[in-house]
Amino acid sequence: MTTNINEMIPELSNPSVYMRDPQRVQEILQSMMKAGSNTLQVISDFDMTLTRFEYNGKRCPTCHNILDESQLISEDGKEELKELLNTYYPIEIDSSQSIEDKLPLMVEWWTKAHELLIQQKIRKDGIATAVGESEAKLREGYQLFFDHLHEHSIPVLIFSAGIGDILEEVIHQAGVFHPNVKVFSNYMDFDEDGVLKAFKGELIHVYNKREGALLNTGHFQELRTRPNVLLMGDSLGDLTMADGVQDMENILKIGFLNDKVEERKQSYLDSYDIVLVKDETLDVPNAVVLYLTGNK
């Protein structure tokens, strides 16, 4: 008797779950399950993927927003950063523009934002407080997600266009920054007095995560025995995060569609295997991970 995918993973019948091709999702899952959890790695975006998009009807902050809204930034600085957001965010999520057209504008946005942050002379010792006082929240079910992956020694690679120092602090304060978690993001560079003087390395923005992935192929080398990937993102730019994985066998892509649902739904269904619409939990990723580790 053939198993129905919703019998394998009942959470996939939640009303927030959309799949263009449930049969294909079932085949990928069965193939990954057969290969065993020691062949699995998780590659995920951070802001609005591992963190909540909104809570009690109010938007939750991204890593950049945590800084923007903190005591570390002057009132004038906050105004300027808000103007940048209002200018460039609509472009980022505009489904009528091609990624090629958006690229230079995203670079422009991130570069201007980082220059503004450097001018603010942010102190390293203020970051933990800024995170603690912020409204940032990991999605419901995060504890199970991070703990279970750690328990099964499954690597979690987080690619983020946010700020690595803030991101790490969010996970750290949630008590789930386990040794199997590796972060690729924009990290701050502080001078000897602990004041922000620059950002390190290549800029990672929402549409160049592929380059981030390829720049870090050394890290993927270590993961060659893990050709099965669970990829999680909330933008179409996140789909290239696994491009550094060599000899990939299976990839299951879960997309969180948080905003502008009607106009973006089709493009998400065309690109992601599972689309979660306005779902603030990690219930589906958790159910998938539990299934793949034989804990279902």
Side-chain angles (χ1 to χ4, degrees), residues 46-48 50-71 127-140 166 170 173 280:
F46 186 70
D47 286 321
M48 312 299 144
L50 291 172
T51 62
R52 296 181 68 122
F53 180 73
E54 58 177 36
Y55 183 68
N56 286 343
K58 189 171 173 282
R59 277 290 296 266
C60 290
T62 62
C63 292
H64 278 98
N65 299 151
I66 290 172
L67 262 193
D68 303 353
E69 295 163 9
S70 75
Q71 307 291 325
I127 287 176
T129 309
V131 169
E133 290 174 351
S134 80
E135 296 293 315
K137 286 175 172 49
L138 291 170
R139 286 183 188 268
E140 215 173 292
I166 304 274
V170 171
Q173 289 190 16
E280 294 292 348

mmCIF file of all heavy atoms in Angstrom, residues 46-48 50-71 127-140 166 170 173 280:
data_model
loop_
_atom_site.group_PDB
_atom_site.id
_atom_site.type_symbol
_atom_site.label_atom_id
_atom_site.label_comp_id
_atom_site.label_asym_id
_atom_site.label_seq_id
_atom_site.Cartn_x
_atom_site.Cartn_y
_atom_site.Cartn_z
ATOM 1 N N PHE A 46 18.566 33.283 8.039
ATOM 2 C CA PHE A 46 18.282 33.584 9.449
ATOM 3 C C PHE A 46 17.055 34.485 9.621
ATOM 4 O O PHE A 46 16.017 34.035 10.081
ATOM 5 C CB PHE A 46 19.499 34.219 10.116
ATOM 6 C CG PHE A 46 19.305 34.415 11.602
ATOM 7 C CD1 PHE A 46 19.278 33.325 12.456
ATOM 8 C CD2 PHE A 46 19.123 35.680 12.146
ATOM 9 C CE1 PHE A 46 19.067 33.476 13.823
ATOM 10 C CE2 PHE A 46 18.925 35.852 13.516
ATOM 11 C CZ PHE A 46 18.896 34.747 14.354
ATOM 12 N N ASP A 47 17.198 35.767 9.213
ATOM 13 C CA ASP A 47 16.114 36.723 9.431
ATOM 14 C C ASP A 47 14.837 36.275 8.727
ATOM 15 O O ASP A 47 14.834 36.012 7.530
ATOM 16 C CB ASP A 47 16.507 38.107 8.888
ATOM 17 C CG ASP A 47 17.530 38.803 9.770
ATOM 18 O OD1 ASP A 47 17.417 38.694 11.000
ATOM 19 O OD2 ASP A 47 18.449 39.461 9.218
ATOM 20 N N MET A 48 13.765 36.184 9.477
ATOM 21 C CA MET A 48 12.435 35.851 8.957
ATOM 22 C C MET A 48 12.328 34.408 8.444
ATOM 23 O O MET A 48 11.345 34.042 7.816
ATOM 24 C CB MET A 48 11.985 36.824 7.832
ATOM 25 C CG MET A 48 12.175 38.287 8.163
ATOM 26 S SD MET A 48 11.212 38.772 9.610
ATOM 27 C CE MET A 48 12.287 39.931 10.397
ATOM 28 N N LEU A 50 14.527 31.651 10.426
ATOM 29 C CA LEU A 50 14.652 31.073 11.769
ATOM 30 C C LEU A 50 14.025 32.001 12.805
ATOM 31 O O LEU A 50 13.638 31.573 13.884
ATOM 32 C CB LEU A 50 16.119 30.799 12.103
ATOM 33 C CG LEU A 50 16.756 29.649 11.290
ATOM 34 C CD1 LEU A 50 18.256 29.571 11.548
ATOM 35 C CD2 LEU A 50 16.098 28.311 11.598
ATOM 36 N N THR A 51 13.928 33.293 12.440
ATOM 37 C CA THR A 51 13.257 34.225 13.360
ATOM 38 C C THR A 51 11.847 34.508 12.852
ATOM 39 O O THR A 51 11.539 34.303 11.682
ATOM 40 C CB THR A 51 14.012 35.571 13.479
ATOM 41 O OG1 THR A 51 14.048 36.207 12.189
ATOM 42 C CG2 THR A 51 15.412 35.382 13.996
ATOM 43 N N ARG A 52 11.014 35.000 13.751
ATOM 44 C CA ARG A 52 9.624 35.292 13.405
ATOM 45 C C ARG A 52 9.522 36.543 12.549
ATOM 46 O O ARG A 52 10.309 37.480 12.708
ATOM 47 C CB ARG A 52 8.807 35.510 14.683
ATOM 48 C CG ARG A 52 8.709 34.286 15.564
ATOM 49 C CD ARG A 52 7.867 34.591 16.790
ATOM 50 N NE ARG A 52 6.490 34.809 16.387
ATOM 51 C CZ ARG A 52 5.456 34.095 16.842
ATOM 52 N NH1 ARG A 52 5.650 33.136 17.716
ATOM 53 N NH2 ARG A 52 4.237 34.350 16.441
ATOM 54 N N PHE A 53 8.527 36.554 11.683
ATOM 55 C CA PHE A 53 8.250 37.736 10.857
ATOM 56 C C PHE A 53 7.430 38.733 11.677
ATOM 57 O O PHE A 53 7.677 39.927 11.657
ATOM 58 C CB PHE A 53 7.483 37.324 9.602
ATOM 59 C CG PHE A 53 7.151 38.474 8.696
ATOM 60 C CD1 PHE A 53 8.141 39.075 7.935
ATOM 61 C CD2 PHE A 53 5.853 38.969 8.607
ATOM 62 C CE1 PHE A 53 7.844 40.150 7.101
ATOM 63 C CE2 PHE A 53 5.546 40.039 7.779
ATOM 64 C CZ PHE A 53 6.550 40.632 7.018
ATOM 65 N N GLU A 54 6.445 38.194 12.411
ATOM 66 C CA GLU A 54 5.687 39.093 13.289
ATOM 67 C C GLU A 54 5.242 38.358 14.546
ATOM 68 O O GLU A 54 5.259 37.131 14.618
ATOM 69 C CB GLU A 54 4.492 39.721 12.566
ATOM 70 C CG GLU A 54 3.496 38.755 11.988
ATOM 71 C CD GLU A 54 2.294 39.476 11.357
ATOM 72 O OE1 GLU A 54 2.470 40.551 10.775
ATOM 73 O OE2 GLU A 54 1.185 38.938 11.467
ATOM 74 N N TYR A 55 4.896 39.136 15.529
ATOM 75 C CA TYR A 55 4.448 38.585 16.803
ATOM 76 C C TYR A 55 3.352 39.500 17.321
ATOM 77 O O TYR A 55 3.542 40.719 17.386
ATOM 78 C CB TYR A 55 5.622 38.533 17.789
ATOM 79 C CG TYR A 55 5.275 37.918 19.129
ATOM 80 C CD1 TYR A 55 4.963 36.565 19.237
ATOM 81 C CD2 TYR A 55 5.243 38.701 20.281
ATOM 82 C CE1 TYR A 55 4.644 35.989 20.460
ATOM 83 C CE2 TYR A 55 4.923 38.142 21.516
ATOM 84 C CZ TYR A 55 4.625 36.790 21.599
ATOM 85 O OH TYR A 55 4.301 36.215 22.803
ATOM 86 N N ASN A 56 2.192 38.931 17.649
ATOM 87 C CA ASN A 56 1.035 39.727 18.106
ATOM 88 C C ASN A 56 0.721 40.870 17.136
ATOM 89 O O ASN A 56 0.475 42.002 17.548
ATOM 90 C CB ASN A 56 1.296 40.300 19.507
ATOM 91 C CG ASN A 56 1.202 39.211 20.563
ATOM 92 O OD1 ASN A 56 0.643 38.137 20.312
ATOM 93 N ND2 ASN A 56 1.749 39.476 21.729
ATOM 94 N N GLY A 57 0.795 40.577 15.840
ATOM 95 C CA GLY A 57 0.444 41.578 14.830
ATOM 96 C C GLY A 57 1.486 42.643 14.583
ATOM 97 O O GLY A 57 1.284 43.567 13.797
ATOM 98 N N LYS A 58 2.637 42.526 15.245
ATOM 99 C CA LYS A 58 3.675 43.548 15.082
ATOM 100 C C LYS A 58 4.903 42.924 14.417
ATOM 101 O O LYS A 58 5.302 41.815 14.778
ATOM 102 C CB LYS A 58 4.032 44.103 16.471
ATOM 103 C CG LYS A 58 4.923 45.315 16.456
ATOM 104 C CD LYS A 58 5.009 45.907 17.879
ATOM 105 C CE LYS A 58 6.026 47.022 17.959
ATOM 106 N NZ LYS A 58 7.408 46.570 18.030
ATOM 107 N N ARG A 59 5.484 43.639 13.452
ATOM 108 C CA ARG A 59 6.662 43.137 12.768
ATOM 109 C C ARG A 59 7.818 42.918 13.744
ATOM 110 O O ARG A 59 8.077 43.744 14.615
ATOM 111 C CB ARG A 59 7.138 44.151 11.701
ATOM 112 C CG ARG A 59 6.432 44.072 10.376
ATOM 113 C CD ARG A 59 6.754 42.836 9.566
ATOM 114 N NE ARG A 59 8.135 42.746 9.153
ATOM 115 C CZ ARG A 59 8.602 43.174 7.987
ATOM 116 N NH1 ARG A 59 7.796 43.749 7.124
ATOM 117 N NH2 ARG A 59 9.869 43.030 7.682
ATOM 118 N N CYS A 60 8.514 41.800 13.607
ATOM 119 C CA CYS A 60 9.695 41.545 14.438
ATOM 120 C C CYS A 60 10.933 42.076 13.715
ATOM 121 O O CYS A 60 10.974 42.095 12.492
ATOM 122 C CB CYS A 60 9.855 40.044 14.683
ATOM 123 S SG CYS A 60 8.589 39.382 15.761
ATOM 124 N N PRO A 61 11.948 42.464 14.463
ATOM 125 C CA PRO A 61 13.125 43.041 13.819
ATOM 126 C C PRO A 61 14.070 42.014 13.203
ATOM 127 O O PRO A 61 14.175 40.893 13.677
ATOM 128 C CB PRO A 61 13.828 43.775 14.975
ATOM 129 C CG PRO A 61 13.432 43.018 16.194
ATOM 130 C CD PRO A 61 12.056 42.488 15.930
ATOM 131 N N THR A 62 14.752 42.428 12.125
ATOM 132 C CA THR A 62 15.852 41.645 11.562
ATOM 133 C C THR A 62 17.104 42.001 12.358
ATOM 134 O O THR A 62 17.069 42.886 13.221
ATOM 135 C CB THR A 62 16.104 42.033 10.097
ATOM 136 O OG1 THR A 62 16.494 43.423 10.074
ATOM 137 C CG2 THR A 62 14.860 41.854 9.238
ATOM 138 N N CYS A 63 18.223 41.351 12.040
ATOM 139 C CA CYS A 63 19.496 41.683 12.733
ATOM 140 C C CYS A 63 19.818 43.174 12.583
ATOM 141 O O CYS A 63 20.224 43.826 13.541
ATOM 142 C CB CYS A 63 20.649 40.882 12.127
ATOM 143 S SG CYS A 63 20.539 39.125 12.450
ATOM 144 N N HIS A 64 19.653 43.698 11.360
ATOM 145 C CA HIS A 64 19.937 45.122 11.154
ATOM 146 C C HIS A 64 18.962 45.975 11.976
ATOM 147 O O HIS A 64 19.371 46.946 12.610
ATOM 148 C CB HIS A 64 19.819 45.489 9.667
ATOM 149 C CG HIS A 64 21.046 45.161 8.870
ATOM 150 N ND1 HIS A 64 21.167 44.011 8.126
ATOM 151 C CD2 HIS A 64 22.221 45.836 8.698
ATOM 152 C CE1 HIS A 64 22.357 43.993 7.526
ATOM 153 N NE2 HIS A 64 23.010 45.082 7.859
ATOM 154 N N ASN A 65 17.674 45.592 11.978
ATOM 155 C CA ASN A 65 16.679 46.375 12.736
ATOM 156 C C ASN A 65 16.997 46.411 14.221
ATOM 157 O O ASN A 65 16.731 47.410 14.895
ATOM 158 C CB ASN A 65 15.269 45.791 12.597
ATOM 159 C CG ASN A 65 14.743 45.755 11.176
ATOM 160 O OD1 ASN A 65 13.945 44.888 10.849
ATOM 161 N ND2 ASN A 65 15.194 46.668 10.331
ATOM 162 N N ILE A 66 17.527 45.295 14.752
ATOM 163 C CA ILE A 66 17.842 45.244 16.184
ATOM 164 C C ILE A 66 18.798 46.389 16.522
ATOM 165 O O ILE A 66 18.634 47.102 17.511
ATOM 166 C CB ILE A 66 18.473 43.884 16.577
ATOM 167 C CG1 ILE A 66 17.419 42.776 16.491
ATOM 168 C CG2 ILE A 66 19.078 43.942 17.991
ATOM 169 C CD1 ILE A 66 17.969 41.364 16.674
ATOM 170 N N LEU A 67 19.784 46.578 15.650
ATOM 171 C CA LEU A 67 20.737 47.683 15.847
ATOM 172 C C LEU A 67 20.052 49.020 15.625
ATOM 173 O O LEU A 67 20.172 49.932 16.439
ATOM 174 C CB LEU A 67 21.872 47.569 14.835
ATOM 175 C CG LEU A 67 23.181 46.933 15.273
ATOM 176 C CD1 LEU A 67 24.243 47.220 14.245
ATOM 177 C CD2 LEU A 67 23.644 47.428 16.643
ATOM 178 N N ASP A 68 19.311 49.096 14.484
ATOM 179 C CA ASP A 68 18.673 50.369 14.113
ATOM 180 C C ASP A 68 17.792 50.915 15.226
ATOM 181 O O ASP A 68 17.675 52.117 15.406
ATOM 182 C CB ASP A 68 17.768 50.193 12.873
ATOM 183 C CG ASP A 68 18.520 49.640 11.667
ATOM 184 O OD1 ASP A 68 19.747 49.518 11.755
ATOM 185 O OD2 ASP A 68 17.862 49.316 10.662
ATOM 186 N N GLU A 69 17.126 49.981 15.939
ATOM 187 C CA GLU A 69 16.155 50.417 16.944
ATOM 188 C C GLU A 69 16.756 50.509 18.346
ATOM 189 O O GLU A 69 16.059 50.791 19.309
ATOM 190 C CB GLU A 69 14.968 49.433 16.950
ATOM 191 C CG GLU A 69 14.182 49.445 15.640
ATOM 192 C CD GLU A 69 13.285 48.226 15.441
ATOM 193 O OE1 GLU A 69 13.135 47.444 16.405
ATOM 194 O OE2 GLU A 69 12.753 48.062 14.328
ATOM 195 N N SER A 70 18.060 50.247 18.455
ATOM 196 C CA SER A 70 18.676 50.189 19.787
ATOM 197 C C SER A 70 19.199 51.540 20.246
ATOM 198 O O SER A 70 19.256 52.503 19.481
ATOM 199 C CB SER A 70 19.836 49.185 19.774
ATOM 200 O OG SER A 70 20.950 49.760 19.086
ATOM 201 N N GLN A 71 19.639 51.571 21.519
ATOM 202 C CA GLN A 71 20.231 52.788 22.097
ATOM 203 C C GLN A 71 21.592 53.095 21.468
ATOM 204 O O GLN A 71 22.161 54.158 21.709
ATOM 205 C CB GLN A 71 20.450 52.595 23.616
ATOM 206 C CG GLN A 71 19.223 52.148 24.385
ATOM 207 C CD GLN A 71 18.173 53.230 24.446
ATOM 208 O OE1 GLN A 71 18.496 54.397 24.516
ATOM 209 N NE2 GLN A 71 16.916 52.841 24.377
ATOM 210 N N ILE A 127 26.219 45.273 22.364
ATOM 211 C CA ILE A 127 25.440 44.388 21.482
ATOM 212 C C ILE A 127 24.512 43.445 22.252
ATOM 213 O O ILE A 127 23.334 43.302 21.920
ATOM 214 C CB ILE A 127 26.386 43.606 20.542
ATOM 215 C CG1 ILE A 127 26.914 44.584 19.490
ATOM 216 C CG2 ILE A 127 25.675 42.442 19.873
ATOM 217 C CD1 ILE A 127 27.928 44.002 18.547
ATOM 218 N N ALA A 128 25.032 42.828 23.308
ATOM 219 C CA ALA A 128 24.210 41.869 24.072
ATOM 220 C C ALA A 128 22.965 42.571 24.634
ATOM 221 O O ALA A 128 21.862 42.014 24.600
ATOM 222 C CB ALA A 128 25.033 41.254 25.199
ATOM 223 N N THR A 129 23.130 43.793 25.110
ATOM 224 C CA THR A 129 21.997 44.551 25.659
ATOM 225 C C THR A 129 20.999 44.881 24.560
ATOM 226 O O THR A 129 19.783 44.732 24.741
ATOM 227 C CB THR A 129 22.502 45.873 26.308
ATOM 228 O OG1 THR A 129 23.564 45.536 27.196
ATOM 229 C CG2 THR A 129 21.403 46.590 27.063
ATOM 230 N N ALA A 130 21.513 45.310 23.391
ATOM 231 C CA ALA A 130 20.629 45.665 22.272
ATOM 232 C C ALA A 130 19.771 44.459 21.882
ATOM 233 O O ALA A 130 18.569 44.583 21.657
ATOM 234 C CB ALA A 130 21.454 46.144 21.079
ATOM 235 N N VAL A 131 20.389 43.287 21.841
ATOM 236 C CA VAL A 131 19.643 42.068 21.482
ATOM 237 C C VAL A 131 18.640 41.723 22.573
ATOM 238 O O VAL A 131 17.471 41.424 22.307
ATOM 239 C CB VAL A 131 20.610 40.876 21.229
ATOM 240 C CG1 VAL A 131 19.836 39.561 21.115
ATOM 241 C CG2 VAL A 131 21.425 41.120 19.956
ATOM 242 N N GLY A 132 19.091 41.799 23.827
ATOM 243 C CA GLY A 132 18.223 41.473 24.960
ATOM 244 C C GLY A 132 16.999 42.363 25.041
ATOM 245 O O GLY A 132 15.913 41.921 25.419
ATOM 246 N N GLU A 133 17.165 43.626 24.660
ATOM 247 C CA GLU A 133 16.051 44.577 24.756
ATOM 248 C C GLU A 133 15.164 44.573 23.519
ATOM 249 O O GLU A 133 14.121 45.211 23.490
ATOM 250 C CB GLU A 133 16.599 46.005 24.977
ATOM 251 C CG GLU A 133 17.218 46.187 26.358
ATOM 252 C CD GLU A 133 17.903 47.545 26.533
ATOM 253 O OE1 GLU A 133 18.046 48.273 25.519
ATOM 254 O OE2 GLU A 133 18.280 47.863 27.673
ATOM 255 N N SER A 134 15.588 43.863 22.475
ATOM 256 C CA SER A 134 14.846 43.896 21.204
ATOM 257 C C SER A 134 13.647 42.950 21.226
ATOM 258 O O SER A 134 13.494 42.129 22.122
ATOM 259 C CB SER A 134 15.765 43.499 20.054
ATOM 260 O OG SER A 134 15.893 42.084 20.012
ATOM 261 N N GLU A 135 12.830 43.089 20.197
ATOM 262 C CA GLU A 135 11.638 42.235 20.049
ATOM 263 C C GLU A 135 11.928 41.027 19.156
ATOM 264 O O GLU A 135 11.008 40.362 18.675
ATOM 265 C CB GLU A 135 10.493 43.055 19.418
ATOM 266 C CG GLU A 135 9.999 44.205 20.275
ATOM 267 C CD GLU A 135 9.309 43.725 21.545
ATOM 268 O OE1 GLU A 135 8.501 42.793 21.461
ATOM 269 O OE2 GLU A 135 9.615 44.273 22.617
ATOM 270 N N ALA A 136 13.208 40.761 18.901
ATOM 271 C CA ALA A 136 13.568 39.633 18.018
ATOM 272 C C ALA A 136 13.177 38.326 18.692
ATOM 273 O O ALA A 136 13.383 38.147 19.884
ATOM 274 C CB ALA A 136 15.061 39.646 17.740
ATOM 275 N N LYS A 137 12.614 37.432 17.899
ATOM 276 C CA LYS A 137 12.193 36.139 18.452
ATOM 277 C C LYS A 137 12.466 35.043 17.440
ATOM 278 O O LYS A 137 12.118 35.173 16.268
ATOM 279 C CB LYS A 137 10.679 36.155 18.735
ATOM 280 C CG LYS A 137 10.311 36.982 19.945
ATOM 281 C CD LYS A 137 8.797 37.061 20.112
ATOM 282 C CE LYS A 137 8.397 37.707 21.425
ATOM 283 N NZ LYS A 137 9.060 38.957 21.707
ATOM 284 N N LEU A 138 13.079 33.966 17.904
ATOM 285 C CA LEU A 138 13.203 32.795 17.039
ATOM 286 C C LEU A 138 11.803 32.197 16.893
ATOM 287 O O LEU A 138 10.954 32.383 17.768
ATOM 288 C CB LEU A 138 14.170 31.777 17.653
ATOM 289 C CG LEU A 138 15.645 32.211 17.674
ATOM 290 C CD1 LEU A 138 16.476 31.251 18.523
ATOM 291 C CD2 LEU A 138 16.226 32.272 16.264
ATOM 292 N N ARG A 139 11.578 31.502 15.802
ATOM 293 C CA ARG A 139 10.244 30.919 15.579
ATOM 294 C C ARG A 139 9.908 29.890 16.650
ATOM 295 O O ARG A 139 10.799 29.214 17.160
ATOM 296 C CB ARG A 139 10.181 30.239 14.213
ATOM 297 C CG ARG A 139 10.113 31.216 13.061
ATOM 298 C CD ARG A 139 9.978 30.493 11.737
ATOM 299 N NE ARG A 139 10.095 31.444 10.645
ATOM 300 C CZ ARG A 139 9.081 32.074 10.074
ATOM 301 N NH1 ARG A 139 7.854 31.831 10.486
ATOM 302 N NH2 ARG A 139 9.277 32.927 9.095
ATOM 303 N N GLU A 140 8.629 29.746 16.903
ATOM 304 C CA GLU A 140 8.149 28.766 17.865
ATOM 305 C C GLU A 140 8.652 27.378 17.451
ATOM 306 O O GLU A 140 8.550 27.008 16.285
ATOM 307 C CB GLU A 140 6.627 28.785 17.815
ATOM 308 C CG GLU A 140 5.961 28.550 19.131
ATOM 309 C CD GLU A 140 4.464 28.763 18.979
ATOM 310 O OE1 GLU A 140 4.062 29.929 18.758
ATOM 311 O OE2 GLU A 140 3.751 27.764 19.033
ATOM 312 N N ILE A 166 25.251 40.119 15.724
ATOM 313 C CA ILE A 166 23.905 40.222 16.302
ATOM 314 C C ILE A 166 23.221 38.860 16.237
ATOM 315 O O ILE A 166 22.633 38.384 17.210
ATOM 316 C CB ILE A 166 23.060 41.243 15.491
ATOM 317 C CG1 ILE A 166 23.751 42.601 15.439
ATOM 318 C CG2 ILE A 166 21.647 41.338 16.040
ATOM 319 C CD1 ILE A 166 23.513 43.525 16.568
ATOM 320 N N VAL A 170 21.643 36.521 19.220
ATOM 321 C CA VAL A 170 20.237 36.092 19.322
ATOM 322 C C VAL A 170 20.177 34.599 19.643
ATOM 323 O O VAL A 170 19.464 34.164 20.552
ATOM 324 C CB VAL A 170 19.472 36.379 17.997
ATOM 325 C CG1 VAL A 170 18.080 35.741 18.024
ATOM 326 C CG2 VAL A 170 19.349 37.886 17.754
ATOM 327 N N GLN A 173 21.568 33.940 23.212
ATOM 328 C CA GLN A 173 20.639 34.293 24.294
ATOM 329 C C GLN A 173 19.462 33.321 24.369
ATOM 330 O O GLN A 173 18.846 33.157 25.422
ATOM 331 C CB GLN A 173 20.150 35.742 24.131
ATOM 332 C CG GLN A 173 21.242 36.754 24.433
ATOM 333 C CD GLN A 173 20.753 38.199 24.515
ATOM 334 O OE1 GLN A 173 19.567 38.475 24.635
ATOM 335 N NE2 GLN A 173 21.693 39.140 24.457
ATOM 336 N N GLU A 280 4.324 31.138 11.621
ATOM 337 C CA GLU A 280 5.374 31.681 12.495
ATOM 338 C C GLU A 280 6.088 30.593 13.306
ATOM 339 O O GLU A 280 6.778 30.884 14.271
ATOM 340 C CB GLU A 280 4.774 32.737 13.444
ATOM 341 C CG GLU A 280 4.260 33.984 12.743
ATOM 342 C CD GLU A 280 5.351 34.846 12.119
ATOM 343 O OE1 GLU A 280 6.545 34.615 12.407
ATOM 344 O OE2 GLU A 280 5.002 35.736 11.325
#
